[in-house]
Amino acid sequence: MDFTPTEEQAAARELAARIFGDLSTHERLTAAGTGSDAELWKALCEAGLPAAIEDIGLLGLVLLLEEQGRTTAQVPFAASCVYGLLAVSANGSAEQRERLLPAIGDGTVVVAGALPEAAVRVGGSGELSGVVPVVPWLRDATHVLVADDEHSLWLVRTVDAQCEPVELTAPWSAGRLTLDSTPGERLGGPEGDVEGIGAYDDVLATARTAFAGLQAGVCAGSVARAVDHTNTREQFGRPLATKQGVQLRAADAYMDTEAIRVTAYEAAWRRDEGLNYATHALTAAWWASEAGSRVVHAGQHLHGGMGADLDHPVHRHFLWGRQLDAYLGCGSEVLQELGELIVHGEGDA
């Protein structure tokens, strides 16, 4: 395996880091509240970063999401790339790819994902009914990807559904989705185009890998803030960073962050190479959940009393880390799923 970024991936990551660094500032995040930053999303789309995912693959997306996580940028980048661009590219028909991919790439179509919920029923004429209590980034979406009770995937236009705002731990512009004989279009068949993996399983594994990459960035940002704080904050005439207890806590957080990163890289690389990656995606998700929670707690703890300030930048990393801890399955749920996959002999070769 080789996780060295290609020239295209490295260039995209550098561009993403510059845009997120310039626009996702503490002041702009404060002004955005719990909503998305429309100007930042426009800048990302004009720079061609969502569209670039077709060329740089899932590993490229993971690299870009790390940069988003470092700044906790409030845009539907991960959701629209995973549930929209990559899902349609891998599992859509030729007509769907031709119609949807350019619009997703330029940001005029934004796709949210109601996975792993499977609470939607399909009527005899193909209409969808059901309620999904929480869909991240639904308030920004033009379409939402839902799964029915047989794990078939459907794209629904949000204008045809009922969407009510809800708030999550992190400011992810979430909403409650209600479908009542709502029209939808089927995406993919029982078997997807990625090494025989079903469309639902492929999208869920891709999402877990991508959001693990996002968690790696969130954790890296938390650690960086903690390092800066403990190097400049003095106690009894010495920087906090000189204390052994602080050094050990920060070192553990750094190693946890690296574990999240490398497992996400491996799962993404395997998918891009056309290899089985189901157990690797679950491994990345487990690290993102379990280790991610430890890291953001450590980051806040190392800030002392300032870490309890809801207006301090490190608190955003804490909120994002805790949200990602539970999103797409918490650590114990993912570990059980991974164990069952291995026991039944369905793990990766």
Side-chain angles (χ1 to χ4, degrees), residues 59-201:
L59 180 55
L61 176 59
V62 166
L63 295 172
L64 302 192
L65 292 179
E66 279 192 78
E67 301 305 327
Q68 178 184 2
R70 290 179 199 276
T71 60
T72 59
Q74 292 171 199
V75 287
F77 190 64
S80 199
C81 287
V82 169
Y83 301 119
L85 196 140
L86 288 177
V88 173
S89 178
N91 303 291
S93 65
E95 186 277 329
Q96 287 173 324
R97 290 194 291 266
E98 182 179 357
R99 170 167 49 90
L100 294 170
L101 290 180
I104 298 171
D106 65 22
T108 54
V109 167
V110 177
V111 185
L115 274 65
E117 298 285 350
V120 175
R121 302 178 304 279
V122 183
S125 302
E127 292 88 3
L128 307 173
S129 298
V131 177
V132 183
V134 176
V135 180
W137 307 108
L138 182 63
R139 281 178 267 166
D140 297 329
T142 60
H143 294 70
V144 58
L145 187 68
V146 301
D148 63 25
D149 50 8
E150 295 184 353
H151 283 179
S152 295
L153 296 178
W154 301 81
L155 270 175
V156 176
R157 298 193 310 164
T158 53
V159 294
D160 297 328
Q162 181 180 346
C163 305
E164 305 168 77
V166 298
E167 296 298 338
L168 300 180
T169 300
W172 284 4
S173 296
R176 174 188 175 92
L177 177 71
T178 301
L179 305 176
D180 185 9
S181 297
T182 304
E185 65 172 302
R186 178 77 174 269
L187 182 68
E191 295 299 324
D193 296 330
V194 182
E195 289 298 301
I197 298 176
Y200 172 88
D201 293 328

Side-chain angles (χ1 to χ4, degrees), residues 4-23:
T4 304
T6 64
E7 184 177 341
E8 292 78 9
Q9 290 170 340
R13 179 172 61 180
E14 182 180 346
L15 178 58
R18 184 164 65 250
I19 294 174
F20 284 127
D22 289 345
L23 295 182

